């Protein structure tokens, strides 16, 4: 049994989707950051960085999204090319792009004040937005090549991770002019629409309360920025 520690619509969302797709039994442990749940010694013992997500596994607690997702894929032989598959290398390259480039860029776009304080946040947001568009253009080019792990053909940890981040990039930037227009990336849009229509993903989106106010929370979320 896995225990996923998270907050709805935070970084635990992609692990939640992966667990549901795999069909592995799990318990969701809801954290309340406002009540200090991320800085309690018991949570820091699971993740010394005090960040979401954490997955408790039979092999011990894991943190860092990409590590958790690769662990699940490899243990369950699902949602990724197998280690001996010819496309495993390319898959790992693009997983690294998502965790090392796309994820930090999206977090900085939605929290531009964290880098240099409130005074510089508009400039930080604008520069980060340009960087995000460049990453998305390169991912779109790769998605157009049609490998299953970056299309709607079958879900992968890479497509699920991308879908979560691009949801936030559309919905959460504080300045509306920086909200990502997913229609500019038709292959990524089609991939995310395909994921959204899958029953396991729809179950998670409903459980996390994301479908209460919008039909397509991954591919066309409501803008929630200020
Ligand atoms: N590199 C980390 C990033 C995790 C991260 O930044 N999580 C956010 C939520 S999406 C968090 O816990 N933020 C709490 C905070 O900044 O205090 C990972 O991939 O797990």
């Amino acid at each position: 049994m896995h225990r996923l520690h998270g907050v709805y619509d935070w970084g635990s969302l992609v692990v939640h989707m992966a667990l549901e797709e795999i069909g592995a039994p799990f318990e969701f442990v809801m954290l309340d950051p406002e009540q200090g749940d991320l800085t309690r010694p018991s949570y820091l013992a699971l993740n010394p960085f005090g960040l979401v997500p954490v997955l408790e596994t039979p092999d011990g607690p894991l943190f860092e999204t990409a590590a958790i997702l690769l662990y699940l894929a490899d243990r369950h032989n699902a949602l990724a090319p197998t280690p001996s598959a010819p496309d495993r290398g390319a898959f790992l390259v693009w997983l690294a792009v998502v965790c090392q480039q796309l994820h930090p860029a999206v977090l900085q776009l939605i929290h531009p004040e964290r880098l240099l304080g409130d005074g510089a946040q508009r400039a930080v947001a604008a520069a980060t937005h340009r960087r995000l568009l460049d990453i998305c253009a390169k991912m779109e080019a790769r998605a157009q090549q049609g490998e299953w792990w970056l299309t709607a053909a079958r879900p992968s940890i890479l497509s699920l991770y991308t879908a979560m981040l691009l949801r936030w990039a559309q919905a959460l930037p504080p300045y509306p002019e920086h909200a990502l227009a997913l229609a500019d990336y038709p292959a990524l849009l089609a991939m995310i629409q395909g994921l959204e229509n899958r029953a396991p993903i729809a179950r998670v989106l409903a459980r996390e309360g994301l479908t209460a106010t919008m039909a397509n929370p991954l591919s066309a979320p409501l803008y929630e920025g200020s």
Side-chain angles (χ1 to χ4, degrees), residues 10-11 38 51-53 64-65 103 107 114 161 168:
W10 282 33
L38 300 185
L51 296 171
V52 169
E64 283 298 323
T65 312
H103 195 161
L107 288 183
R114 288 188 182 169
Y161 197 175
W168 297 344

Side-chain angles (χ1 to χ4, degrees), residues 103-122:
H103 195 161
V106 171
L107 288 183
Q108 189 160 287
L109 186 75
I110 65 184
H111 299 296
E113 76 290 351
R114 288 188 182 169
L115 187 65
L116 296 171
D118 289 344
Q121 64 171 318
R122 187 171 275 278

Side-chain angles (χ1 to χ4, degrees), residues 27-45:
E27 174 191 348
F28 193 102
V29 181
M30 186 73 75
L31 299 168
D32 186 348
E34 300 293 317
Q35 295 302 314
D37 284 356
L38 300 185
T39 51
R40 285 187 211 294
S42 57
Y43 191 70
L44 294 173

